[in-house]
């Protein structure tokens, strides 16, 4: 709302049209937010309409892997991202709003496995993404030819039709997420004294 007010003031005082209003991008970087991606997107849409008078026709959502993996483990974060991409695709269809997911992942397996050797399976696993953040491990710890080839493949496959889960599939993934997160937390607690 403040950005819009400031933009209108500048346009009125300067007599120049600034252009499109910068939009806030929701950041979902925890398992609990991933599995609520659809309801978060809808709340965001309603809030923008109600509080700022902005009607969304398209929306970007940032889905982060690393923090989710640290908090709940690799399996839980991987499955929760699967649910997030699926539910955002479903919500996009229902709400009539184009959703352009941004995926933030790293090169090591725990951080998302965005690695040149596995890029084809990565693309299939995360189809539906529109943008991918490139972290330093991929950029600087990869031979340049492999890096550029990976970037080309990511660009060429951006916006593929996402996997949309049915209710039973999503329910099963949610159960696995709960159990794997509990196991991860239990193991992490048992190692705390040795780590610290």
């Amino acid at each position: 709302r403040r950005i819009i007010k400031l933009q209108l003031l500048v346009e009125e005082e300067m007599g120049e049209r600034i252009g499109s209003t910068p939009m806030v991008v929701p950041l979902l970087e925890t398992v609990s937010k991933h599995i609520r991606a659809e309801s978060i997107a809808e709340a965001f849409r309603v809030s923008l309409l109600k509080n700022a008078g902005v009607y969304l026709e398209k929306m970007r959502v940032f889905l982060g892997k690393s923090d989710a993996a640290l908090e709940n483990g690799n399996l839980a974060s991987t499955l929760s991202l699967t649910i997030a991409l699926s539910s955002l695709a479903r919500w996009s269809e229902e709400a009539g709003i184009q959703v352009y997911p941004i995926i933030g992942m790293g090169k090591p397996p725990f951080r998302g496995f965005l690695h040149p050797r596995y890029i084809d399976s990565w693309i299939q696993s995360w189809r539906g993404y529109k943008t991918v953040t490139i972290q330093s491990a991929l950029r600087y710890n990869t031979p340049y030819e492999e890096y550029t080839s990976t970037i080309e493949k990511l660009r060429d496959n951006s916006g593929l039709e996402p996997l949309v889960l049915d209710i039973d599939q999503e329910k099963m993934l949610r159960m696995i997420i709960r159990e794997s997160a509990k196991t991860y937390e239990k193991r992490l607690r048992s190692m705390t004294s040795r780590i610290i």
Side-chain angles (χ1 to χ4, degrees):
R1 188 170 50 205
R2 286 182 181 155
I3 291 170
I4 292 169
K5 284 182 178 180
L6 183 59
Q7 182 176 358
L8 290 172
L9 177 67
V10 168
E11 287 178 357
E12 184 180 310
E13 292 298 317
M14 310 272 270
E16 258 183 64
R17 174 111 174 96
I18 293 176
S20 62
T21 303
M23 293 302 299
V24 174
V25 176
L27 171 61
L28 312 182
E29 58 182 349
T30 63
V31 168
S32 63
K33 288 182 181 175
H34 293 164
I35 63 175
R36 293 182 300 118
E38 186 175 353
S39 61
I40 291 170
E42 176 62 13
F44 184 74
R45 182 195 71 77
V46 169
S47 179
L48 277 176
L49 186 59
K50 183 179 174 184
N51 296 317
V54 173
Y55 177 78
L56 287 179
E57 293 179 6
K58 56 187 175 182
M59 177 181 183
R60 295 176 67 73
V61 178
F62 191 106
L63 303 170
K65 169 83 164 91
S66 298
D67 287 355
L70 286 173
E71 184 181 294
N72 293 106
N74 191 34
L75 180 58
S77 64
T78 299
L79 297 178
S80 68
L81 275 173
T82 301
I83 290 173
L85 285 168
S86 171
S87 68
L88 286 170
R90 187 173 42 245
W91 178 79
S92 173
E93 186 73 29
E94 292 168 3
I97 296 171
Q98 282 297 119
V99 177
Y100 301 107
I102 304 165
I103 294 188
M105 293 190 181
K107 189 175 175 183
F110 194 74
R111 299 199 55 198
F113 224 19
L114 182 52
H115 191 290
R117 188 178 312 147
Y118 306 104
I119 192 61
D120 293 327
S121 61
W122 189 97
I123 287 167
Q124 284 308 305
S125 296
W126 306 114
R127 63 187 190 265
Y129 70 86
K130 187 63 179 170
T131 305
V132 179
T133 62
I134 302 302
Q135 296 181 2
S136 59
L138 178 62
R139 173 61 186 94
Y140 297 107
N141 297 343
T142 304
Y144 188 72
E145 296 77 27
E146 288 181 32
Y147 165 71
T148 56
S149 171
T150 300
I151 297 303
E152 285 175 25
K153 283 188 176 186
L154 289 170
R155 279 189 191 130
D156 291 346
N157 291 283
S158 170
L160 293 177
E161 191 70 29
L163 168 69
V164 178
L165 304 168
D166 66 36
I167 300 302
D168 291 333
Q169 291 170 320
E170 191 170 310
K171 191 187 245 185
M172 178 63 77
L173 290 185
R174 287 174 184 269
M175 183 194 70
I176 295 168
I177 289 167
R178 277 192 302 275
E179 293 305 314
S180 66
K182 280 185 207 173
T183 302
Y184 173 78
E185 185 178 337
K186 186 177 177 181
R187 288 196 177 155
L188 203 56
R189 286 183 193 276
S190 72
M191 294 186 285
T192 303
S193 61
R194 287 175 266 177
I195 294 171
I196 297 175

